Amino acid sequence: MAQNDHTAARNDHPRARPRIAFLGLGHMGAPMARRLLAAGYRLTVWNRTAAKAEPLVAEGARLGSCPADAVRDADVVVTMLAGPDALRAVADALVPVLRDGVRWVDMSTVGPDAVRELGGRVPDGVTLVDAPVTGSTDKAAAGELGILAGGDATEVEPVLAHLGTVTRTGPLGSGAALKLVVNTAVLGGVALVAEAMALADALGLDEEVARGALARGPLAGAVARAFANGVHFGNDLAVKDVALATDTTRLPALEAVLAHFRAAAADQDLAHEDIARAVPHIRTRARTHHSYRS
């Protein structure tokens, strides 16, 4: 066997692979962590609600008792958390214990300011990469996410490749910035479809005819997402993402979108449900408002 073949064989051995700590096992984090476990990585997991880690532990992952314990021996740390506040809380526990040479990949949707803040906190010798994802739970389970990687992602690309396709976006924070652009476009499209269907309702059009016409036009992707099943992007998380965008610059159309999702998230039955569930909510509000005006 040639020397390069020997080297490749050694690097492919499970013990040569980086040890990974995965923190955050929500709707997206759990299937992503499962992909890494199935790929043969030595995986330690942690989640604020420990019960969510039990299926992965049963499949061979080690359970970290706390964030610091989870990253104790890790070469790569992956965080997939709900928002900036959750990331800051976990960072408080991680920053003092991270070893020299660790790669920290934050895959949360937190916006570029939070990423840059975190970049100012990590110790020298720790490489931070922001790599939020596009795609929902179905893509996470299939390893078909879009991964928007800002910063020096070279060393972690082989790990990220098990989760989807990596797009290098530029310096640290650029992945988080592009994710806000992508998410707000999706959410704006879903809200626009909901309003278009509300207009169809008000005009007395057949629902299937109106929906079919929209699906054959430039909003086809937004129509598919507005009526999707089997995926998950919570209305509460939609509020968080659009608010991050509208806090960045003046976006009048997205301020209206934010109001729609805030109204949906204020409903306890809808707050943690998928954004598709906001569509009938928006349509109902439009009908109620029309009746009031009449």
Side-chain angles (χ1 to χ4, degrees), residues 67-73 91-100 102 123 126:
D69 176 58
V71 306
R72 183 181 58 209
D73 299 317
D92 289 342
L94 296 194
V95 167
V97 300
L98 290 174
R99 297 182 298 108
D100 187 68
V102 167
V126 172

Side-chain angles (χ1 to χ4, degrees), residues 49-73:
T49 304
K52 291 185 178 181
E54 290 174 0
L56 287 161
V57 173
E59 294 168 29
R62 182 180 83 86
L63 177 64
S65 60
C66 63
D69 176 58
V71 306
R72 183 181 58 209
D73 299 317

